[in-house]
Amino acid sequence: MMDKHYSPADIETRLYEEWEASKLFVPRSDGMPYCIMLPPPNVTGNLHMGHAFQHTLMDVLIRYNTMKQKSVLWQSGIDHAGIATQIVVERQLLHKGIKRHDLGREKFIEQVWQWKELSGDSITRQMRRLGTSIDWSDQRFTLDDGFSKAVLTAFSRLHTDGLIYRGQRMVNWDPLLGTAISDLEVISAEEDGILWYFRYPLADNSDHLTVATTRPETMLGDTAVAVHPDDQRYRHLVGKQVALPLTSRTIPIIADEQVDSSFGTGCVKITPAHDFNDYKMGQRHNLPCINIMNADATMNAAVPEEFRDMDRLQAREAVCAALKARGLLEKQHKHRSNIPRGERSKAIIEPRLTKQWFVRATKLAAAAIEAVENDMIRIVPQQWKKVYCNWLHNVEDWCISRQLWWGHQIPAWYDPHGKIYVGLSEEDVRQRYGIQTPLQQDSDVLDTWFSSSLWTFATLGWPTDTPLRKKFHPTDVLVTGFDILFFWVARMVMMSIHLTGEIPFRSVYVTGLVRDEFGQKMAKSKGNVLDPLDLIDGITAEDLVNKRTADTMQDHHAQKITARTRQQFPQGITAYGTDALRFTFCSLSSIGRDIKFDIGRIEGYHHFCNKLWNAARYVLGTVDAPSVSKVVKAQVLADRWIVSQSNKLLGEIERALASYRFDFYAQSLYEFIWHQYCDWYLECAKVKEGHPSILVNTLRVVLKLLHPVMPFISEEIWRRVKPVKDSDYLLHQPFPSPAPECRDEHAEKEFAWLQKLVTTIRELRATFGISPRTALTVYIRSSDNEQLGTKLSEHSTLIASLATLSSISIGEDARQQVVATGIAGDTEVWIPLKDVIDRDSESARLHKLIHQLDKKIANLNGQLTNPQFTARAPQEVVEDIRQRLASAQNDHSRFISQLKIISDL
RNA sequence: AGGCGCGUAGCUCAGUUGGUUUAGAGCACCACCUUGACAUGGUGGGGGGCGUUGGUUCAAAUCCAAUCGCGCCUACCA
């Protein structure tokens, strides 16, 4: 016997453990290949709403295709996340008072591995709670031997092909982490600052220029002052020299188009070693680069002694003070400008001239653009196609070296003369180039995204030509967020095409971001994070508040978060269960929009689970389901109708999933289960208007259709209603396909008539305030009473039951009585109401209906009297409007005559 | 500055190539109903004319233009 209420906690963990133990997720060997590569979560990561959302969609596709009897591989794995991981472990060591450099590289890396073994797969445990059908016995890690081999091979091959080079270039430098980062890892945002105006005297002391700057400390590295060539104010000064204050240097005044005369004074100080634009300008004008900072952004020996070793911000104050003391500070005012910060460290990024390794993305981009432009790779939704192509058109070379320890060490070796050799290993290099001299390996590691860009094929054994790769590459679809379209997707396409000659995937489904109820990004710092596991298991208000304020140091901030959380979740969060969460994600996943996560939705779908549960409970209370093996051919109307409807549903679902419309998929199921199967079919079945085998079978079909999105509840019910001989696992069941011959338009039409009739009677009952328990006598008629009589004789029992009637019959005479009247399609309905009727309210009601019809008739008439319309619109549209007009006019006259009867009383 | 996206019921969103409803769903709301699948329920109901203004068309929430508001991305003014 099933419980009265569905309780997800009782079944989810138990079922998942069973699935995993039975190796249910190991790919079957036969069938068409279907493959999705899981975007590898960060090894430091915790499961957040974004994962839960994307993993749900992927799992729907995976389970669906598994049931379609394909040979399905969902390759999972974990990303070593260089910077993030190193930060975590460094912080832990720091708690013990140990610094990374005290340990040394080798020991430190050992520590990281230890940490990885301990806590690195906490996210995979969380993923299991989502019901993901991943084969956990076969995972990849980007630092594993096999994968590493792929990384080294890729590097080496790209180098040979001239697509990787080492060069002195201006890069984004994170002074806190002491490493270069790529331009994508820099986040610029407006911050309050100050704009200072400094006087630079001319070398001959005849005059001075005033420059404006937000970064005074860099003036120590200035090598020019630039003005716009057309700027009349300064034209005469171009070519002269300026005595750079605080230093003994003189620097030229140059003219360059880049200068914006309208900003500040129109004079720009140029510091080629510390600014991207200045660097370019320096190259154009052959200016020297003077590096004034150390790697940690303290001032180096190139600056006057008084400023040395100062941090840049300290130096800023000191420089300002020194200039002020010399009377060279003209003025200063508040100024907002964009400050670049490191994505991970949040430190202000310094442009820095260093030697780094680069991928010539500019060269690789063309093929990657083409693949998407000609739809070899289909991006869904299409709007992202433009974004993708646009970025690649303007792509810059990609800085891939990082001054870190955790990651793939760059396979490049230097001989004592500094000559570079690239290979797979030192032995490989020695052999390949015949080297005897000592070799020193490059100490840098590769950007984590470099290894990630090989994900689709490196996981399948590349560079070895494995059967696995032959079978599953190119993969079928990549599901990922737009936020890593450039970081990852574009780079994967470039790498895959160049290295394997194949596209990495046939489609990309780009998801939006899961946001909070105000559309804000969820962030720990904002205290608005929802944990998917809390939605599944529930959480008390107290615990939620504690969780959200745990990382907050400031009191007022914590109070704000607390207040907000208590207001939104006064009772905490109910345990909605995984299935409800997954269903919510699907139904919210409409194309290309961010998701404002609405707690009301998941609550609704939790109720939906309960509805389904209870429907099954009813079925099991009526039929010995497991013994039902043969399904009879539908005879009675309700059966024919539900069979036809469920067939329609199959078509809708196939279309929805083929076009990645997970919202349509979810909505179709919801509508069918609740509003067709439960609301109507079960009610018919209660009065024996449905055959038990169809009752059971329809439920079975629904469970199969539901399984990809709601794996737990579907399976739990399945075990109770399945034919005895069938597998316990829905994943082993074939996914039902539409069978056009099961459509029964006649039954659909007739059932629609019946529904309309029942609804009309209920409507009248409600309007006149008649108790739902009072059985009514009802009369009906239509223009074809003979046909009506046939229908009535077949369905009167059913109608009487659905509408609570004591009798229903065809009766012309009833018109003259005091009645409530309604129209159901071509059928008029009267309910005699001797004592109940309120003349005024009935008359008012009829007036309202008539008024509505007036409007409708006027509207339709307007169209038909327009000769343009009848001439140019398709005939079927015109004909349709004609019929609608006729029917409206018919209804109209019926109501008018009814109104007359009422008012004559 | 450039690009993209979005503005449809109180809220969250559908509306597929313009034409079968008076523009739909869920949640919320109102009324009635504790009838043996489900009150996590049932029945019925109210509520918007699709940001604004023009245009194309026989016909526009749907196509075009302008405009307002919001969001995001890219590049930036030192």
Side-chain angles (χ1 to χ4, degrees):
Chain A
M1 185 60 196
M2 292 169 80
D3 290 341
K4 192 172 174 187
H5 296 304
Y6 169 62
S7 146
D10 296 344
I11 64 169
E12 289 178 357
T13 319
R14 165 169 59 79
L15 278 180
Y16 197 88
E17 279 168 8
E18 195 187 314
W19 289 337
E20 200 177 346
S22 334
K23 304 200 188 314
L24 195 63
F25 306 139
V26 175
R28 105 176 71 224
S29 53
D30 57 320
M32 292 262 293
Y34 184 87
C35 179
I36 295 180
M37 290 292 170
L38 180 81
N42 186 326
V43 65
T44 65
N46 273 301
L47 191 80
H48 55 58
M49 293 293 274
H51 293 125
F53 175 37
Q54 289 171 7
H55 293 182
T56 295
L57 302 189
M58 280 182 262
D59 199 41
V60 167
L61 292 171
I62 289 292
R63 284 179 186 267
Y64 171 63
N65 280 287
T66 303
M67 292 174 76
K68 284 247 164 197
Q69 309 303 306
K70 292 188 189 170
S71 173
V72 170
L73 172 65
W74 188 5
Q75 182 63 60
S76 88
I78 300 242
D79 186 304
H80 68 276
I83 293 181
T85 310
Q86 188 161 320
I87 289 176
V88 169
V89 177
E90 269 187 272
R91 201 174 291 155
Q92 281 192 347
L93 287 172
L94 222 55
H95 279 305
K96 294 186 223 161
I98 308 170
K99 284 187 186 156
R100 159 162 72 110
H101 286 275
D102 301 341
L103 275 182
R105 187 166 186 147
E106 231 169 90
K107 282 260 167 59
F108 177 76
I109 290 176
E110 256 173 49
Q111 289 281 321
V112 185
W113 274 106
Q114 270 177 31
W115 174 87
K116 192 251 168 193
E117 297 309 323
L118 268 172
S119 53
D121 56 7
S122 68
I123 192 165
T124 63
R125 283 194 295 275
Q126 295 169 324
M127 283 164 67
R128 285 170 166 87
R129 293 298 319 278
L130 284 175
T132 46
S133 50
I134 285 177
D135 174 13
W136 296 108
S137 64
D138 183 39
Q139 297 189 67
R140 301 286 182 273
F141 181 54
T142 44
L143 279 179
D144 281 345
D145 289 344
F147 204 100
S148 295
K149 190 180 165 207
V151 172
L152 302 184
T153 309
F155 186 94
S156 164
R157 199 173 289 177
L158 287 164
H159 182 260
T160 309
D161 297 341
L163 292 166
I164 281 184
Y165 64 93
R166 186 168 189 257
Q168 171 102 346
R169 287 260 309 265
M170 194 63 117
V171 296
N172 296 291
W173 183 265
D174 187 320
L176 195 68
L177 300 171
T179 179
I181 57 178
S182 83
D183 44 3
L184 287 176
E185 292 161 277
V186 179
I187 311 295
S188 290
E190 274 204 347
E191 293 183 26
D192 287 322
I194 295 172
L195 189 61
W196 284 274
Y197 293 76
F198 297 131
R199 293 198 185 103
Y200 283 10
L202 293 192
D204 58 14
N205 231 338
S206 60
D207 198 358
H208 72 268
L209 284 174
T210 304
V211 297
T213 181
T214 53
R215 302 174 60 205
E217 71 281 8
T218 62
M219 63 85 61
L220 299 169
D222 284 359
T223 56
V225 172
V227 297
H228 195 278
D230 300 337
D231 195 331
Q232 295 303 327
R233 294 172 294 178
Y234 306 115
R235 214 167 183 168
H236 61 290
L237 297 175
V238 172
K240 294 198 171 176
Q241 295 280 318
V242 162
L244 185 65
L246 310 182
T247 72
S248 52
R249 290 187 287 119
T250 65
I251 58 175
I253 299 166
I254 59 173
D256 194 289
E257 303 265 344
Q258 278 294 297
V259 179
D260 175 3
S261 309
S262 63
F263 187 89
T265 59
C267 301
V268 194
K269 58 188 272 316
I270 302 300
T271 324
H274 293 278
D275 183 280
F276 285 96
N277 283 325
D278 290 6
Y279 180 69
K280 281 184 207 144
M281 203 182 289
Q283 286 193 312
R284 281 199 292 275
H285 297 272
N286 247 323
L287 300 173
C289 275
I290 302 178
N291 179 11
I292 59 166
M293 283 184 210
N294 299 309
D296 60 355
T298 56
M299 308 309 278
N300 67 14
V303 304
E305 192 139 13
E306 51 175 317
F307 302 112
R308 272 178 214 164
D309 299 327
M310 280 184 180
D311 178 74
R312 54 192 157 163
L313 295 180
Q314 211 183 344
R316 179 172 299 174
E317 282 176 31
V319 165
C320 286
L323 288 169
K324 194 174 181 184
R326 287 167 176 73
L328 296 174
L329 173 62
E330 191 171 295
K331 60 173 176 176
Q332 63 183 70
H333 59 75
K334 281 187 186 158
H335 178 74
R336 273 183 83 75
S337 62
N338 271 321
I339 306 296
R341 289 184 182 271
E343 191 189 22
R344 292 284 170 191
S345 70
K346 309 289 181 237
I348 298 177
I349 296 305
E350 286 293 335
R352 188 159 196 259
L353 204 52
T354 53
K355 279 203 164 172
Q356 302 286 348
W357 290 90
F358 294 90
V359 168
R360 270 190 225 283
T362 41
K363 286 258 167 63
L364 289 164
I369 294 170
E370 202 198 324
V372 166
E373 247 163 18
N374 66 19
D375 283 331
M376 274 178 38
I377 298 173
R378 201 161 61 96
I379 298 187
V380 184
Q382 280 255 328
Q383 66 208 59
W384 294 107
K385 188 171 167 177
K386 260 191 204 163
V387 178
Y388 167 98
C389 290
N390 188 46
W391 183 76
L392 278 176
H393 273 298
N394 301 308
V395 74
E396 306 232 351
D397 282 357
W398 168 22
C399 174
I400 50 168
S401 42
R402 297 288 181 274
Q403 287 66 52
L404 304 172
W405 288 349
W406 177 244
H408 302 98
Q409 195 170 348
I410 293 178
W413 284 263
Y414 304 92
D415 72 11
H417 307 288
K419 194 160 186 276
I420 302 172
Y421 303 93
V422 170
L424 301 179
S425 64
E426 189 173 333
E427 297 81 76
D428 178 48
V429 164
R430 286 190 184 282
Q431 210 177 352
R432 207 187 289 190
Y433 302 98
I435 316 271
Q436 310 298 332
T437 55
L439 286 175
Q440 176 83 36
Q441 186 174 3
D442 194 309
S443 60
D444 290 350
V445 300
L446 288 164
D447 180 5
T448 310
W449 291 107
F450 182 84
S451 50
S452 304
S453 70
L454 316 174
W455 188 247
T456 61
F457 50 93
T459 48
L460 296 174
W462 188 88
T464 310
D465 220 1
T466 59
L468 206 60
R469 184 160 76 86
K470 278 205 190 108
K471 180 171 174 185
F472 289 115
H473 205 269
T475 65
D476 286 88
V477 57
L478 180 79
V479 178
T480 193
F482 68 81
D483 50 331
I484 53 173
L485 196 59
F486 309 146
F487 269 109
W488 195 42
V489 181
R491 288 165 175 174
M492 268 198 283
V493 178
M494 290 194 276
M495 290 301 191
S496 180
I497 291 178
H498 183 78
L499 292 170
T500 71
E502 286 175 353
I503 52 173
F505 26 70
R506 297 190 179 87
S507 308
V508 183
Y509 179 82
V510 181
T511 66
L513 247 52
V514 183
R515 296 170 181 279
D516 75 1
E517 72 276 18
F518 301 113
Q520 296 280 312
K521 226 171 174 167
M522 288 188 187
K524 266 192 188 167
S525 58
K526 290 185 194 157
N528 62 350
V529 171
L530 277 176
D531 183 336
L533 294 184
D534 291 343
L535 292 165
I536 293 173
D537 296 330
I539 185 169
T540 65
E542 206 54 41
D543 288 348
L544 186 60
V545 164
N546 290 339
K547 202 166 165 176
R548 284 183 163 191
T549 51
D551 289 339
T552 310
M553 300 298 173
Q554 298 144 306
D555 258 6
H556 68 278
H557 195 204
Q559 276 166 18
K560 234 163 91 183
I561 292 175
T562 306
R564 194 186 140 167
T565 303
R566 286 204 188 280
Q567 201 211 339
Q568 203 199 349
F569 303 104
Q571 313 299 325
I573 297 175
T574 312
Y576 296 116
T578 299
D579 286 331
L581 179 64
R582 291 172 56 119
F583 202 85
T584 308
F585 280 131
C586 278
S587 58
L588 291 177
S589 76
S590 49
I591 289 289
R593 294 181 56 97
D594 286 345
I595 292 183
K596 276 192 215 170
F597 196 85
D598 177 6
I599 204 86
R601 292 292 287 262
I602 191 173
E603 181 163 12
Y605 295 129
H606 177 234
H607 293 171
F608 174 59
C609 290
N610 190 57
K611 186 76 180 173
L612 173 70
W613 183 259
N614 273 286
R617 203 166 151 248
Y618 170 77
V619 171
L620 286 165
T622 327
V623 190
D624 176 30
S627 69
V628 175
S629 55
K630 268 217 180 109
V631 182
V632 302
K633 190 171 167 2
Q635 299 286 334
V636 297
L637 178 62
D639 280 340
R640 283 161 57 209
W641 174 74
I642 201 69
V643 166
S644 187
Q645 288 300 113
S646 58
N647 217 260
K648 210 154 119 189
L649 173 71
L650 297 181
E652 282 168 22
I653 283 176
E654 202 158 76
R655 271 196 301 282
L657 288 177
S659 54
Y660 302 108
R661 289 304 302 260
F662 302 97
D663 55 336
F664 287 174
Y665 164 60
Q667 204 197 336
S668 299
L669 281 166
Y670 187 97
E671 160 70 21
F672 179 84
I673 292 171
W674 201 308
H675 297 304
Q676 296 185 6
Y677 188 68
C678 291
D679 284 354
W680 289 96
Y681 185 70
L682 287 190
E683 295 308 316
C684 294
K686 283 178 186 171
V687 285
K688 307 291 175 239
E689 284 286 334
H691 193 278
S693 72
I694 291 178
L695 181 69
V696 169
N697 192 249
T698 305
L699 180 59
R700 287 175 183 162
V701 168
V702 156
L703 293 172
K704 290 175 194 171
L705 298 178
L706 209 47
H707 188 251
V709 58
M710 289 186 160
F712 293 109
I713 189 173
S714 57
E715 183 117 315
E716 183 67 16
I717 298 174
W718 169 252
R719 294 186 177 185
R720 299 162 196 258
V721 302
K722 73 182 183 68
V724 254
K725 60 176 189 345
D726 273 31
S727 162
D728 272 357
Y729 304 118
L730 271 172
L731 219 43
H732 289 159
Q733 293 295 317
F735 199 83
S737 300
E741 69 275 12
C742 289
R743 282 297 293 276
D744 185 338
E745 306 233 356
H746 181 255
E748 283 180 26
K749 237 179 161 168
E750 190 148 318
F751 199 80
W753 166 81
L754 185 148
Q755 285 176 305
K756 179 70 185 158
L757 180 58
V758 169
T759 315
T760 304
I761 295 168
R762 285 174 181 167
E763 202 179 307
L764 291 170
R765 182 194 288 277
T767 308
F768 290 99
I770 306 163
S771 155
R773 269 169 301 182
T774 311
L776 298 171
T777 301
V778 167
Y779 298 98
I780 58 174
R781 79 176 275 276
S782 82
S783 53
D784 186 349
N785 275 346
E786 199 173 322
Q787 194 208 21
L788 189 64
T790 316
K791 281 201 272 195
L792 197 57
S793 65
E794 281 175 46
H795 309 309
S796 61
T797 323
L798 183 56
I799 296 167
S801 155
L802 294 172
T804 323
L805 306 179
S806 54
S807 79
I808 177 165
S809 48
I810 297 175
E812 297 287 342
D813 305 343
R815 286 180 105 168
Q816 301 312 320
Q817 301 181 30
V818 182
V819 293
T821 184
I823 292 169
D826 62 350
T827 307
E828 272 178 89
V829 182
W830 301 291
I831 305 176
L833 298 164
K834 279 198 224 58
D835 306 319
V836 195
I837 194 161
D838 174 348
R839 221 158 299 173
D840 292 341
S841 74
E842 172 64 347
S843 150
R845 195 185 126 255
L846 289 170
H847 272 296
K848 192 178 163 192
L849 290 169
I850 289 164
H851 180 66
Q852 280 174 1
L853 283 167
D854 280 339
K855 265 170 49 184
K856 190 172 177 178
I857 288 166
N859 188 314
L860 296 169
N861 248 330
Q863 285 189 61
L864 286 169
T865 51
N866 180 351
Q868 302 273 44
F869 172 71
T870 43
R872 297 202 195 178
Q875 269 319 296
E876 68 243 41
V877 173
V878 177
E879 191 44 43
D880 179 57
I881 298 287
R882 283 215 176 94
Q883 280 187 11
R884 283 161 62 189
L885 178 63
S887 133
Q889 281 168 335
N890 195 12
D891 293 356
H892 190 265
S893 61
R894 286 170 182 178
F895 284 132
I896 292 283
S897 66
Q898 188 58 36
L899 186 62
K900 195 160 175 298
I901 294 167
I902 294 284
S903 42
D904 285 351
L905 285 170

